[in-house]
């Protein structure tokens, strides 16, 4: 149902208004976004997908990662989603770029498992394998609507762990939930900070109507403020950022990631809370939007 309308550098107001009206005409949820890698939806999805693969390498099972995402309320887990959309999309982009270690705002490592699958021609649901009577093969072996994890994938994960010197550990459901959704939300704060989205509810609309985020949780930005709490989100991001930095600085097999590094906008929102300035902010306005309004007006927080 989603339509992301992209405001380019030279887009006229008439063009933008026409695009938004067209969205309504074709019964889409039209959201105006800025021009950047992945726009809003795919850009936020990249750290979510990256952490899903990283969790597998550390000891979580494929079924556990998908189950946690589904229990949270997502339409499907990240591993099943990869098989649905096709594992080869960003593999082909990196091959075309001539850099298989390349990372952007829309794709980032670890790549070992999905690259191996793509090299075997196993892109997910779109690639049948007659030799095993599979209608599709990727992370899962698909036979119609029924799927199960490919045993060869499990063997490959063990091989990757051995190559990287990783000893599988127990990973809790709560850790998986934090590491999937908190960097996704953090990227939402960055998008707002860069004015690639106008307000937090625009991001919530993108995720509810375009990416299967549970409507009952209000969207990722609403969920962050009203369910998690911004101070807790900030604390957890800092903990995971330190762990991620230790991982890629101590082990050359891991690519660097920065998606756990807290957005300055998130930090500002928490500081406003701590200084008691929230009492001077408009009632009913999300904290992040109120802080953005202050920033965009050029008013110092102390003058609220």
């Amino acid at each position: 149902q989603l339509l992301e309308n992209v405001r380019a550098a030279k887009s006229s107001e008439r063009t933008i208004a026409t695009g938004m009206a067209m969205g309504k005409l074709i019964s889409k949820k039209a959201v105006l976004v800025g021009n950047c890698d992945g726009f809003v939806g795919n850009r936020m999805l990249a750290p979510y997908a990256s952490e899903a693969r990283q969790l597998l390498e550390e000891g979580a099972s494929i079924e556990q990662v998908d189950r946690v995402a589904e229990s949270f309320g997502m339409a499907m887990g990240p591993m099943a989603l990869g098989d649905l959309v096709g594992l080869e999309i960003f593999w082909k982009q990196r091959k075309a770029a001539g850099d298989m270690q390349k990372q952007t705002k829309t794709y980032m490592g670890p790549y070992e498992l999905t690259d191996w699958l793509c090299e075997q021609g196993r892109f997910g649901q779109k690639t049948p394998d007659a030799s095993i009577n599979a209608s599709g093969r990727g992370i899962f072996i698909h036979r119609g609507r029924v799927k199960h994890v490919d045993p060869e994938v499990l063997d490959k994960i063990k091989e990757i762990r051995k190559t990287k010197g990783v000893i599988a550990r127990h990973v809790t459901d709560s850790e998986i939930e934090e590491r999937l959704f908190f960097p996704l939300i953090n990227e939402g704060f960055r998008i707002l900070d860069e004015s690639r989205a106008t307000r937090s509810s625009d991001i919530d609309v993108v995720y509810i109507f375009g990416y299967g985020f549970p409507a009952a949780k209000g969207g990722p930005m609403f969920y962050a403020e009203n369910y998690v709490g911004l101070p807790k989100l900030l604390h957890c991001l800092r903990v995971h950022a330190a762990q991620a930095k230790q991982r890629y600085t101590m082990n050359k097999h891991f690519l660097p990631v920065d998606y756990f590094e807290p957005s300055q906008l998130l930090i500002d929102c928490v500081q406003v809370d701590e200084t008691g300035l929230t009492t001077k902010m408009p009632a009913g306005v999300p904290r992040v939007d109120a802080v953005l309004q202050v920033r965009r007006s050029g008013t110092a927080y102390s003058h609220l």
Side-chain angles (χ1 to χ4, degrees):
Q1 298 184 57
L2 173 67
L3 177 64
E4 285 182 278
N5 283 334
V6 182
R7 181 197 293 270
K10 296 183 179 180
S11 297
S12 69
E13 294 302 316
R14 182 175 182 177
T15 299
I16 293 168
T18 301
M20 298 301 285
M22 178 61 73
K24 287 186 177 181
L25 184 65
I26 60 176
S27 300
K28 297 291 185 180
K29 307 298 182 185
V31 178
L32 185 64
V33 301
N35 189 9
C36 61
D37 273 358
F39 309 127
V40 170
N42 285 346
R43 176 172 164 180
M44 290 172 64
L45 196 66
Y48 171 86
S50 174
E51 275 303 293
R53 297 191 300 274
Q54 182 60 46
L55 284 159
L56 299 185
E57 294 188 6
E58 291 183 28
S61 70
I62 292 167
E63 296 92 341
Q64 182 189 13
V65 170
D66 273 7
R67 175 179 54 76
V68 169
E70 290 169 7
S71 295
F72 180 84
M74 298 296 284
M76 66 180 67
M79 313 315 297
L81 179 63
D83 266 17
L84 176 65
V85 302
L87 302 171
E88 84 286 1
I89 297 172
F90 299 125
W91 174 72
K92 285 184 175 179
Q93 286 189 20
R94 287 180 288 118
K95 282 182 76 72
D99 181 4
M100 297 306 289
Q101 299 300 303
K102 183 177 181 180
Q103 299 193 107
T104 71
K105 281 292 187 181
T106 52
Y107 54 86
M108 50 200 69
Y111 297 127
E112 288 83 356
L113 177 61
T114 49
D115 280 5
W116 173 78
L117 284 166
C118 290
E119 287 157 7
Q120 309 298 313
R122 303 176 190 175
F123 302 157
Q125 291 189 31
K126 65 179 71 174
T127 49
D129 188 341
S131 68
I132 58 170
N133 192 33
S135 59
R137 193 171 187 183
I139 297 289
F140 300 91
I141 292 173
H142 301 265
R143 293 189 175 96
R145 292 183 175 272
V146 178
K147 70 179 188 298
H148 64 269
V149 176
D150 191 332
E152 291 186 15
V153 168
L154 300 179
D155 291 339
K156 186 62 181 179
I157 292 172
K158 291 177 183 177
E159 180 186 318
I160 292 168
R161 288 173 184 157
K162 184 176 180 180
T163 300
K164 293 187 173 183
V166 175
I167 299 173
R169 63 177 178 86
H170 172 68
V171 183
T172 65
D173 288 359
S174 60
E175 180 183 349
I176 292 172
E177 185 175 304
E178 286 183 7
R179 288 176 60 179
L180 289 180
F181 293 102
F182 286 6
L184 179 152
I185 293 166
N186 190 45
E187 202 63 36
F189 275 93
R190 291 179 177 181
I191 287 167
L192 288 166
D193 209 359
E194 297 168 13
S195 296
R196 309 292 187 182
T198 305
R199 59 189 69 83
S200 62
S201 59
D202 285 352
I203 292 176
D204 291 336
V205 169
V206 167
Y207 259 79
I208 290 172
F209 292 99
Y211 290 83
F213 197 92
K217 288 183 167 68
M221 309 311 291
F222 184 91
Y223 172 75
E225 183 168 333
N226 296 282
Y227 285 75
V228 179
L230 300 186
K232 178 182 176 181
L233 174 64
L234 178 59
H235 169 75
C236 291
L237 284 170
R238 284 171 168 162
V239 169
H240 292 307
Q243 293 171 346
K245 187 173 184 178
Q246 182 180 38
R247 179 175 68 237
Y248 67 74
T249 54
M250 299 291 289
N251 190 329
K252 64 179 182 180
H253 293 292
F254 291 106
L255 293 171
V257 294
D258 69 352
Y259 45 68
F260 283 120
E261 296 297 333
S263 159
Q264 185 59 51
L265 177 58
L266 171 59
I267 294 171
D268 288 352
C269 288
V270 173
Q271 287 177 343
V272 165
D273 266 348
E274 292 173 346
T275 54
L277 292 174
T278 52
T279 57
K280 300 181 181 181
M281 290 188 167
V285 176
R287 186 68 32 77
V288 60
D289 291 344
V291 171
L292 279 173
Q293 287 173 17
V294 172
R295 278 185 172 195
R296 291 166 181 170
S297 69
T299 306
Y301 298 125
S302 58
H303 294 160
L304 285 174

